[in-house]
Each structure stands twice: as C-alpha cells, then as structure tokens.
Amino acid sequence: MTIAWCSVVERQPPMLSVSCADTHHTNIGIKKHQAFSVNIPSEDMVERVDYIGMYSGKKVDKSQVFEIFYGDLENAPMIEEAPVNMECKLINTVVTGKGHEIFIGEVIAAYAEEIYFTDGTLDITKIKPLAYSTGQQKYLTTGDIIASAWSVGKNLVKKR
Ligand SMILES: Cc1cc2nc3c(=O)[nH]c(=O)nc-3n(C[C@H](O)[C@H](O)[C@H](O)COP(=O)(O)O)c2cc1C
C-alpha cells in the first residue's frame, strides 16, 4: 500500500511506525507475518505509487506492479526500484479505536545502492524522494538543501 503516515519512533534499536486504516488488505499480511517493509519511492515512481494507493489488494493483484526482493525476513517483500528499503519486524501494534492500526516495527536491515550516498551518508538530492501534501492531495518533488540542521538555529543565539 501507499503510506503517508509513516514516522521514525526510536533510534537504537531503529524503529518506525506506519498508521494503516484497519480495512486495508496490507494489515492482514502484517499481522499474519509479523513483518512489513517500508520503501521510499523516487519521483519517477509517482504513477505506480498512486495506483497502489487507490486500489486494494482485496480487489486487484498488485504484486506485479513493482519488482520485489527479499532480505533477511522471509515475508517482507521490498521494492527493487525504490532507492531505500527497510525491512521491519513487528514489535507492537496500537489500535487507535477510530479505524487505524499503528504498526511499530524494528528495522532489522536497510538497503540502498551506493549511487544514493555522498560521503557515506544517504543524500536526499540523489534519492529524489516523492513528497506528498495531504491537504492538497498533490505529489511534489523535494527541493534544494537550504540550511544545515542542528546548526542554522544557533544564529539566533549569537544575535541575542
Ligand atoms: C498518497 C497516498 C497516501 C496514503 N497514505 C495512507 C496512510 O498513511 N494510511 C492509510 O491507511 N492509507 C493510506 N493511503 C491509502 C492506501 O494506500 C489505499 O487505501 C490502498 O489501496 C490500501 O491497499 P491495500 O488494501 O491493498 O492494503 C494512501 C493513499 C495515497 C494515494
């Protein structure tokens, strides 16, 4: 499924969460296999990402839309074309009671090709991830780097 509501929740061990409406086909697989993967799509995957997000696996077979591969977990297929893949073991499930299940997974392995790195760090300008504006229901590209985090804010300290 296409998912916008994904977040980092822990550093060590690395964990993330995905909030999935409990009617989705994906939820059945996550609960059955106690595993899932998160794949960051690039701009050029926009059509397929949107398609995956509109049609449920309960009605159509989406298994051929992307080329898939497996890592250490047997039941967490990952998307070959996606620049970044993370395979996760299900650690916890929070049921909101309002229609969503929040799956918290430990990232047991992550994959990205060398071409997406600069000086040993993943480079967002090379990954060109697809961004999504929920209110506008539009896909966007990410722009240029504008400042250094944990750094540019110090300018205000100096001025005071
Ligand atoms: C851009 C976009 C973002 C989406 N984000 C979420 C999300 O964060 N949580 C969710 O439950 N569904 C989200 N969806 C909807 C699911 O991807 C969609 O209902 C999908 O068909 C579910 O597939 P499944 O039934 O095969 O699991 C999103 C759809 C789109 C197009």
Side-chain angles (χ1 to χ4, degrees):
M1 64 177 280
T2 299
I3 185 127
W5 295 1
C6 178
S7 182
V8 177
V9 296
E10 189 54 272
R11 179 187 292 274
Q12 202 51 256
M15 291 187 191
L16 51 76
S17 68
V18 287
S19 183
C20 306
D22 55 19
T23 49
H24 293 338
H25 195 53
T26 300
N27 301 38
I28 298 169
I30 294 175
K31 286 183 275 192
K32 181 175 174 194
H33 299 299
Q34 300 286 295
F36 62 95
S37 77
V38 172
N39 303 266
I40 298 179
S42 53
E43 296 163 6
D44 54 359
M45 294 166 68
V46 64
E47 263 184 21
R48 285 177 292 167
V49 166
D50 200 44
Y51 171 81
I52 291 281
M54 283 191 294
Y55 300 97
S56 175
K58 285 180 177 167
K59 295 201 170 143
V60 298
D61 178 9
K62 297 187 278 186
S63 65
Q64 305 302 313
V65 175
F66 296 109
E67 205 173 306
I68 58 167
F69 73 100
Y70 289 89
D72 294 337
L73 299 175
E74 282 175 17
N75 295 307
M78 288 173 278
I79 298 172
E80 191 75 57
E81 301 94 311
V84 181
N85 320 97
M86 291 166 276
E87 56 178 332
C88 305
K89 197 166 72 177
L90 184 64
I91 297 296
N92 209 343
T93 303
V94 178
V95 179
T96 66
K98 300 288 181 187
H100 279 74
E101 291 173 315
I102 302 170
F103 299 112
I104 299 173
E106 179 180 338
V107 182
I108 61 134
Y111 305 83
E113 285 177 31
E114 284 289 329
I115 51 165
Y116 298 116
F117 286 82
T118 299
D119 298 331
T121 303
L122 276 174
D123 185 335
I124 197 161
T125 61
K126 292 179 177 171
I127 294 170
K128 299 189 191 305
L130 193 58
Y132 173 63
S133 172
T134 304
Q136 293 171 297
Q137 295 196 347
K138 299 286 183 201
Y139 297 103
L140 300 89
T141 59
T142 49
D144 299 325
I145 289 173
I146 56 163
S148 292
W150 305 96
S151 171
V152 67
K154 290 178 187 167
N155 292 344
L156 293 181
V157 178
K158 285 177 205 150
K159 282 176 192 159
R160 284 182 182 164

